[in-house]
Amino acid sequence: MYRKETILWPEGTPPSDAYCDEGKRLAVLAAHGTGALVDDPELQGIVDLAARICDAPLAMVTMVEEGRQLFLTRTGIDARETPRPTSFCAHAMLGAEPMVVRDALEDPRFADNPLVRGEPHIRFYAGHPLVSVEGAPLGALCIIDRVPRELGLSGLQKETLSVLAKAVMRRISQKRLGDDAISAVNRREAYLQNMIDSVPGIAWSANPQGEFDYVNARWRETTGLEPPRTTKEWQSAIHPDDWEATLARFLEAVRTRTLFEDEWRLRLANGEYRWVQSRAVPVVDEEGAARWFGTVIDIDRQKRLSESRDLLANELSHRIKNIFAVVSGLIAVRSRGRPEAAEFASELTAAIRALGTAHDYVRPFDGRSTDCLQGLLRDLLRPYETAGSRITISGEDLEIGPRAATPLALIFHELATNAAKYGALSQPGGSVSIQIAHPCEERDELVVSWQESSDSFEETTAAAVREEGGFGSRLLRLAIEGQLGGSFTRTFSDDGLDVEITVPAAKIGA
């Protein structure tokens, strides 16, 4: 494993025995890719400086390969390489310290060497080992003279050669690190592309100019078309009826740098169309430019199943509304000619009408324009409005869910009925004020205040409300506490009635 915490082998330490094995050594040498450093300007500068400071006619950086000694950079010699058996550096690279040969003719290792007996007539040699971070000997930084040097190198020259050898290894190791990094990036990109190509949906990316620079393999497999490079080139893959609308949404998302999400029909290679969900997100870089990443996922089965369910739900909703109408009609027919049941029939019909209004909020239906609490209140209280506004609704609003619609309708229908019969709405100047608020954000509770006021709200009226409030109170408690998990209080004042209803906000949207 190539250790990245350092790129230099400890100075004064001989190469690792394990990496002196020729096979392992050559593998490490190959990993450095030193062939790309032949005539490297930085290494050439090091060689020239070593020659000047050591006052030597020849200097070079050598890599000892299997059958040759390669000069990455050199000065004072034209040859690019020499045979390995004649290499001085093959000996120098195995040591812990620089190898100094004062007179090659006097050294039994080199006396008969062709490089000593012939060109370049080596007599003096000093070579500093170049060892990889694993401890593999690679070659040497050396200087050569054609005359012997009895005194060898001066202290400054030895120090300079050591420092320059470290610089050589840094340069070689940095090259290796760079190659490793590039290889790692290429591997990761290959893995990522294989992963993206294997996903079941289409994936793409676009540059800040809106040019699509990557589309995964699923595009061609699905559509049979060449990957698009511009937005316009998507048109042939999108249903003609969907093209203009989805294009406008995408361009608006690009303009505002906001999430794009849409559903449209994709043309398959066989000419069929399938519903897909198209989604794209902008990623802003350091320079403020937005690169786009998007997906196209097949949702045809879910889309058609949802449409079938909606069709069935709407049909059921229509029939339920008809049942409400039939029940109201039966009540009217059965109560006709029975004066003693008229009041009860009227109240029951009004309650059924309120349930019908609530049902519109359980399922989307004709004539309904809102999903919010204030909209439900206005629909329920509209029959109690007379000339002039006697009912006001203010404060916050909240989307209501299908489970909350029915109990809410029963609660406010009961309050409105009592107000019309006995309370503020039964008086000429009476009014009802409804306020919706979030007084406690931490507990996320919704508080609805129902306030009735009237100049002629007398004790007899309050008594009537209390008397009639037995069933009403039970109904409120059942709906508020039992179904919505909330609570309520009801207090009387000199000019009216105050009801405060507290419900968890999550229950309203359920």
Side-chain angles (χ1 to χ4, degrees), residues 103 130 174 198 203 265 287 305 420 449-450 454:
D103 188 346
L130 300 176
Q174 286 168 354
S198 68
R265 285 162 287 181
E287 298 178 355
L305 181 60
S449 298
W450 174 285
S454 173

PDB file of all heavy atoms in Angstrom, residues 103 130 174 198 203 265 287 305 420 449-450 454:
ATOM      1  N   ASP A 103      38.479   6.537  -6.779  1.00  0.00           N
ATOM      2  CA  ASP A 103      39.200   6.196  -8.017  1.00  0.00           C
ATOM      3  C   ASP A 103      38.706   4.841  -8.469  1.00  0.00           C
ATOM      4  O   ASP A 103      38.994   3.794  -7.849  1.00  0.00           O
ATOM      5  CB  ASP A 103      40.712   6.160  -7.772  1.00  0.00           C
ATOM      6  CG  ASP A 103      41.493   6.002  -9.071  1.00  0.00           C
ATOM      7  OD1 ASP A 103      40.870   5.649 -10.100  1.00  0.00           O
ATOM      8  OD2 ASP A 103      42.697   6.243  -9.043  1.00  0.00           O
ATOM      9  N   LEU A 130      18.214   6.903  -4.362  1.00  0.00           N
ATOM     10  CA  LEU A 130      16.818   7.374  -4.486  1.00  0.00           C
ATOM     11  C   LEU A 130      15.922   6.205  -4.115  1.00  0.00           C
ATOM     12  O   LEU A 130      15.867   5.202  -4.836  1.00  0.00           O
ATOM     13  CB  LEU A 130      16.538   7.858  -5.908  1.00  0.00           C
ATOM     14  CG  LEU A 130      17.403   9.024  -6.398  1.00  0.00           C
ATOM     15  CD1 LEU A 130      17.089   9.333  -7.870  1.00  0.00           C
ATOM     16  CD2 LEU A 130      17.213  10.267  -5.539  1.00  0.00           C
ATOM     17  N   GLN A 174       5.669  13.116  -6.248  1.00  0.00           N
ATOM     18  CA  GLN A 174       4.519  13.953  -6.589  1.00  0.00           C
ATOM     19  C   GLN A 174       3.909  13.523  -7.912  1.00  0.00           C
ATOM     20  O   GLN A 174       2.691  13.537  -8.083  1.00  0.00           O
ATOM     21  CB  GLN A 174       4.933  15.415  -6.630  1.00  0.00           C
ATOM     22  CG  GLN A 174       5.159  16.031  -5.251  1.00  0.00           C
ATOM     23  CD  GLN A 174       5.836  17.381  -5.304  1.00  0.00           C
ATOM     24  OE1 GLN A 174       6.249  17.833  -6.367  1.00  0.00           O
ATOM     25  NE2 GLN A 174       5.980  18.016  -4.150  1.00  0.00           N
ATOM     26  N   SER A 198     -27.010   2.044 -14.339  1.00  0.00           N
ATOM     27  CA  SER A 198     -27.762   0.867 -13.916  1.00  0.00           C
ATOM     28  C   SER A 198     -29.076   1.206 -13.227  1.00  0.00           C
ATOM     29  O   SER A 198     -29.894   0.307 -13.004  1.00  0.00           O
ATOM     30  CB  SER A 198     -26.902   0.018 -12.976  1.00  0.00           C
ATOM     31  OG  SER A 198     -26.683   0.694 -11.749  1.00  0.00           O
ATOM     32  N   ALA A 203     -31.159   9.699 -15.880  1.00  0.00           N
ATOM     33  CA  ALA A 203     -30.470  10.714 -15.082  1.00  0.00           C
ATOM     34  C   ALA A 203     -29.652  11.590 -16.016  1.00  0.00           C
ATOM     35  O   ALA A 203     -29.111  11.112 -17.025  1.00  0.00           O
ATOM     36  CB  ALA A 203     -29.570  10.059 -14.039  1.00  0.00           C
ATOM     37  N   ARG A 265     -45.693  12.904 -20.440  1.00  0.00           N
ATOM     38  CA  ARG A 265     -45.639  11.598 -21.099  1.00  0.00           C
ATOM     39  C   ARG A 265     -44.395  11.496 -21.975  1.00  0.00           C
ATOM     40  O   ARG A 265     -44.145  12.358 -22.818  1.00  0.00           O
ATOM     41  CB  ARG A 265     -46.900  11.383 -21.932  1.00  0.00           C
ATOM     42  CG  ARG A 265     -48.135  11.065 -21.091  1.00  0.00           C
ATOM     43  CD  ARG A 265     -49.415  11.285 -21.845  1.00  0.00           C
ATOM     44  NE  ARG A 265     -49.688  12.721 -22.021  1.00  0.00           N
ATOM     45  CZ  ARG A 265     -50.769  13.207 -22.628  1.00  0.00           C
ATOM     46  NH1 ARG A 265     -51.672  12.372 -23.118  1.00  0.00           N
ATOM     47  NH2 ARG A 265     -50.935  14.499 -22.741  1.00  0.00           N
ATOM     48  N   GLU A 287     -18.709  30.135  -7.703  1.00  0.00           N
ATOM     49  CA  GLU A 287     -18.771  31.342  -8.517  1.00  0.00           C
ATOM     50  C   GLU A 287     -20.203  31.823  -8.732  1.00  0.00           C
ATOM     51  O   GLU A 287     -20.430  32.792  -9.448  1.00  0.00           O
ATOM     52  CB  GLU A 287     -18.102  31.084  -9.861  1.00  0.00           C
ATOM     53  CG  GLU A 287     -16.611  30.736  -9.736  1.00  0.00           C
ATOM     54  CD  GLU A 287     -15.984  30.437 -11.084  1.00  0.00           C
ATOM     55  OE1 GLU A 287     -16.730  30.409 -12.082  1.00  0.00           O
ATOM     56  OE2 GLU A 287     -14.759  30.243 -11.136  1.00  0.00           O
ATOM     57  N   LEU A 305     -53.152   4.067 -12.005  1.00  0.00           N
ATOM     58  CA  LEU A 305     -53.862   3.540 -10.850  1.00  0.00           C
ATOM     59  C   LEU A 305     -54.500   4.669 -10.052  1.00  0.00           C
ATOM     60  O   LEU A 305     -55.645   4.564  -9.593  1.00  0.00           O
ATOM     61  CB  LEU A 305     -52.887   2.752  -9.975  1.00  0.00           C
ATOM     62  CG  LEU A 305     -53.483   2.099  -8.719  1.00  0.00           C
ATOM     63  CD1 LEU A 305     -54.572   1.102  -9.102  1.00  0.00           C
ATOM     64  CD2 LEU A 305     -52.382   1.410  -7.920  1.00  0.00           C
ATOM     65  N   ALA A 420     -78.254  30.965  15.939  1.00  0.00           N
ATOM     66  CA  ALA A 420     -79.410  31.418  15.167  1.00  0.00           C
ATOM     67  C   ALA A 420     -80.709  31.231  15.947  1.00  0.00           C
ATOM     68  O   ALA A 420     -81.664  32.008  15.780  1.00  0.00           O
ATOM     69  CB  ALA A 420     -79.475  30.656  13.842  1.00  0.00           C
ATOM     70  N   SER A 449     -61.530  30.948  18.445  1.00  0.00           N
ATOM     71  CA  SER A 449     -62.414  31.659  19.387  1.00  0.00           C
ATOM     72  C   SER A 449     -63.721  32.023  18.685  1.00  0.00           C
ATOM     73  O   SER A 449     -63.706  32.709  17.661  1.00  0.00           O
ATOM     74  CB  SER A 449     -61.725  32.932  19.903  1.00  0.00           C
ATOM     75  OG  SER A 449     -60.550  32.608  20.618  1.00  0.00           O
ATOM     76  N   TRP A 450     -64.833  31.555  19.234  1.00  0.00           N
ATOM     77  CA  TRP A 450     -66.186  31.854  18.721  1.00  0.00           C
ATOM     78  C   TRP A 450     -66.795  32.838  19.709  1.00  0.00           C
ATOM     79  O   TRP A 450     -67.072  32.499  20.848  1.00  0.00           O
ATOM     80  CB  TRP A 450     -66.985  30.565  18.619  1.00  0.00           C
ATOM     81  CG  TRP A 450     -68.425  30.748  18.231  1.00  0.00           C
ATOM     82  CD1 TRP A 450     -69.439  31.214  19.023  1.00  0.00           C
ATOM     83  CD2 TRP A 450     -69.009  30.426  16.974  1.00  0.00           C
ATOM     84  NE1 TRP A 450     -70.618  31.226  18.335  1.00  0.00           N
ATOM     85  CE2 TRP A 450     -70.391  30.744  17.069  1.00  0.00           C
ATOM     86  CE3 TRP A 450     -68.538  29.923  15.778  1.00  0.00           C
ATOM     87  CZ2 TRP A 450     -71.267  30.553  16.011  1.00  0.00           C
ATOM     88  CZ3 TRP A 450     -69.407  29.718  14.730  1.00  0.00           C
ATOM     89  CH2 TRP A 450     -70.753  30.051  14.830  1.00  0.00           C
ATOM     90  N   SER A 454     -74.328  40.734  21.422  1.00  0.00           N
ATOM     91  CA  SER A 454     -75.627  41.319  21.082  1.00  0.00           C
ATOM     92  C   SER A 454     -76.020  42.287  22.185  1.00  0.00           C
ATOM     93  O   SER A 454     -75.826  41.999  23.380  1.00  0.00           O
ATOM     94  CB  SER A 454     -76.692  40.236  20.921  1.00  0.00           C
ATOM     95  OG  SER A 454     -77.964  40.815  20.759  1.00  0.00           O
TER      96      SER A 454
END
